[in-house]
Amino acid sequence: ADPPMVGWPLPPRRVRSMTPSWTLTYHARPWSLNVERAGNRWKRAEMIREWREAFRVLAIAEHVPPLSTLVVHAHPFYRTARSIPDTAACVGSVKAAIDGLVDAGVLTDDTPDIVRTVTFHAPVVDRERHSDALTLWIAEYQPAWVPEKEPF
């Protein structure tokens, strides 16, 4: 299944695919790895709690069913080009969002055998947006091939 094209102001609700997919968007600036490192543990716990709860509520609102495996595409959007973070700098926000999917009952856990792929797309500046946002495109993992054993 192809993920939504990067740069779309709003990714499509469903991507043409046999596999159902969901788009979850939280309208807040994704916190960067640098912000996480600079803060103390209480501030970090507060940010994690906010993002976990936000994605728990989004998953419930979008009626995302329990999934046995998951593929995640993270698309950060910013209203201005002021201090654009590096690709994957939003890793803390994405990790908290995946924890929120566990809290919502979409996943039983976030171990590697369940969360099979997490892809970070480069940040997109969209001056038409009313806020910064992090959009997660999620779908059940569908392997392209199943080897007898891992090739490495």
Side-chain angles (χ1 to χ4, degrees):
D2 292 331
M5 292 176 52
V6 173
W8 286 1
L10 292 172
R13 198 170 252 320
R14 299 269 191 246
V15 175
R16 275 182 275 130
S17 167
M18 297 295 283
T19 304
S21 63
W22 296 266
T23 302
L24 307 175
T25 301
Y26 182 47
H27 293 278
R29 186 175 181 91
W31 39 283
S32 70
L33 192 55
N34 292 341
V35 168
E36 181 180 358
R37 287 178 179 164
N40 60 45
R41 64 181 175 193
W42 295 282
K43 182 177 179 180
R44 181 174 180 268
E46 190 177 302
M47 291 187 299
I48 290 170
R49 190 171 21 261
E50 173 192 344
W51 283 77
R52 274 183 90 136
E53 179 63 12
F55 276 89
R56 184 188 72 79
V57 169
L58 286 167
I60 292 169
E62 288 293 322
H63 306 288
V64 181
L67 302 172
S68 59
T69 57
L70 187 72
V71 57
V72 177
H73 286 264
H75 299 267
F77 292 94
Y78 297 92
R79 290 181 315 133
T80 67
R82 176 188 55 80
S83 124
I84 292 294
D86 297 336
T87 302
C90 62
V91 65
S93 298
V94 173
K95 171 66 173 122
I98 292 170
D99 289 341
L101 297 177
V102 173
D103 296 343
V106 174
L107 306 171
T108 56
D109 202 353
D110 60 354
T111 58
D113 58 320
I114 296 173
V115 180
R116 301 297 301 198
T117 306
V118 179
T119 304
F120 292 91
H121 295 265
V124 173
V125 175
D126 182 0
R127 289 177 170 73
E128 301 294 316
R129 288 186 160 265
H130 62 83
S131 68
D132 296 337
L134 176 66
T135 296
L136 292 189
W137 178 86
I138 63 171
E140 193 149 24
Y141 175 74
Q142 299 292 323
W145 57 279
V146 181
E148 285 185 29
K149 62 177 194 164
E150 292 296 330
F152 39 85

